[in-house]
Amino acid sequence: MTQTAAPGPSPASDPRSFLDELRDGVTPRATLLVIGVLALQLLFIASYVGALHNPKLRDVPFGVVAPQAAVAEQAVTRLERLPGEPLDPRTVADRAAARELIVDREIDGALLIDPAGTTDTLLVASGGGRTLANALVTLVTALEKSEGRTLRTVDVAPADIGDANGLTSFYLVVGWCVGGYLCASALAMSAGARPTNIRRGIIRLAVLALFAVLGGLGGAVIAGPVLTALPGSVAALWGLGALVVFAVGAATLALQCVFGIAGIGVAVLLVVITGNPSAGGALPPPLLPPFWAAIGPALPPGAGVWVARSIAYFEGNDITGPLLVLSAWAVAGAAITLVMAALRRKPESRPAAEA
């Protein structure tokens, strides 16, 4: 009589090695994403610490006023020879002209010399950044003390009492930027990073535009009438906010069209990792290292912070350049999104093979 062998363990019940579980638990795509996140984390640390760890005055536009031209020229020469070149001094005709240049954002401070006395006057504008104003006061006070003179400080464009350290404009713009790339990211994750046709691309841009209008209004109202943290025209801040949100969102949509979901990481790299520390919020441009001071005005956070402060404290002066920067980001982002959507075509369905 033939005896049937007992069934052995099925292949599915074989014990799996750790490497097998690792390959299933962490796919190659997940590995690449984790490596990308690690890179962004390290870049975030390097960018913020590199930009903000050692603030030094560099080439601050600075005016010198004196009754006699010879005295003013001597002071300019002395300031030009300071170690590290913290100031970029030039003579100014009188106090009124110096104040006008500060309000026009052409200079950041001015020294009014009184040869007949021992007390000079320093004009600053804390609305352009309290850190910068304090740094100028510290520097000029030390210079005056070394010459046996005293200093009186006048703030011609003071930061509002509700604007702690002059940072409200920075936080407001950062909030608008975050809203822009999060909205674009949500649109991508809900229906694919790359729009499949130009109509879908137009729809996404239209939704982003509506979001930008609402987000710009909400931010302006919260920072202004609700919290009284930032003075200035609510309508002007609303327009700025809508432009910032749309510019960042459109750029993020464009990057997603080019790089897929990885485009969100590229947007974070541009806006958060490089844009925020170079925006002039915590440290205005003259206090930033050269690299960050150079790139800040060309990125949405830096352009937005400059315009917000101009609206709040400087009568809306010197905003044409930054608004053009924001508009360029918005137009380029929208154009790339539409072009990439137009070029992308769904594969045509093929008839089923005959049996």
Side-chain angles (χ1 to χ4, degrees):
M1 185 177 201
T2 304
Q3 189 173 11
T4 305
S10 64
S13 62
D14 287 341
R16 292 172 58 84
S17 69
F18 174 77
L19 289 179
D20 291 333
E21 296 291 352
L22 180 62
R23 279 192 291 267
D24 289 344
V26 184
T27 64
R29 182 181 182 186
T31 301
L32 290 176
L33 289 174
V34 169
I35 293 173
V37 170
L38 175 62
L40 287 176
Q41 172 186 295
L42 298 179
L43 286 171
F44 183 98
I45 295 170
S47 182
Y48 278 71
V49 175
L52 307 177
H53 78 290
N54 187 25
K56 293 180 180 178
L57 291 171
R58 292 178 176 86
D59 296 320
V60 181
F62 192 77
V64 176
V65 178
Q68 292 85 27
V71 174
E73 291 292 347
Q74 289 176 357
V76 167
T77 301
R78 186 169 68 254
L79 295 176
E80 286 176 336
R81 294 175 179 174
L82 290 175
E85 300 181 347
L87 303 178
D88 177 19
R90 74 287 310 266
T91 59
V92 179
D94 53 30
R95 181 188 184 114
R99 185 187 184 284
E100 184 176 354
L101 288 174
I102 292 174
V103 173
D104 289 342
R105 308 203 76 177
E106 295 186 29
I107 61 176
D108 292 310
L111 178 63
L112 313 181
I113 300 174
D114 180 14
T118 60
T119 299
D120 296 329
T121 302
L122 175 65
L123 305 183
V124 295
S126 61
R130 200 181 300 275
T131 307
L132 175 58
N134 291 341
L136 286 175
V137 171
T138 300
L139 174 66
V140 179
T141 298
L143 293 175
E144 293 284 285
K145 185 177 180 180
S146 68
E147 297 179 2
R149 301 178 66 82
T150 57
L151 187 69
R152 182 173 68 96
T153 301
V154 176
D155 196 341
V156 300
D160 193 78
I161 191 172
D163 186 4
N165 295 319
L167 291 175
T168 298
S169 55
F170 172 64
Y171 294 136
L172 176 61
V173 171
V174 167
W176 282 329
C177 290
V178 169
Y181 69 72
L182 286 182
C183 177
S185 301
L187 291 172
M189 289 186 290
S190 65
R194 299 180 176 94
T196 55
N197 55 57
I198 193 168
R199 179 180 296 177
R200 184 170 294 180
I202 293 173
I203 291 173
R204 287 188 181 182
L205 288 170
V207 171
L208 176 63
L210 177 60
F211 178 87
V213 171
L214 296 176
L217 175 60
V221 171
I222 291 172
V226 174
L227 298 178
T228 61
L230 195 68
S233 167
V234 172
L237 289 173
W238 178 10
L240 170 64
L243 180 57
V244 169
V245 174
F246 187 81
V248 173
T252 305
L253 286 176
L255 291 168
Q256 290 166 1
C257 288
V258 175
F259 299 107
I261 291 298
I264 297 175
V266 179
V268 171
L269 175 64
L270 289 173
V271 177
V272 178
I273 294 177
T274 59
N276 286 354
S278 64
L283 295 179
L287 287 166
L288 290 171
F291 172 75
W292 284 268
I295 66 172
L299 297 174
V305 169
W306 183 273
V307 176
R309 283 178 170 162
S310 289
I311 291 172
Y313 300 115
F314 297 96
E315 302 174 2
N317 292 322
D318 197 23
I319 62 174
T320 301
L323 288 178
L324 288 176
V325 169
L326 291 169
S327 299
W329 280 90
V331 171
I336 292 172
T337 298
L338 295 178
V339 168
M340 294 298 292
L343 293 176
R344 184 174 173 80
R345 294 286 185 270
K346 287 184 177 180
E348 296 181 2
S349 58
R350 295 180 180 180
E354 296 182 0

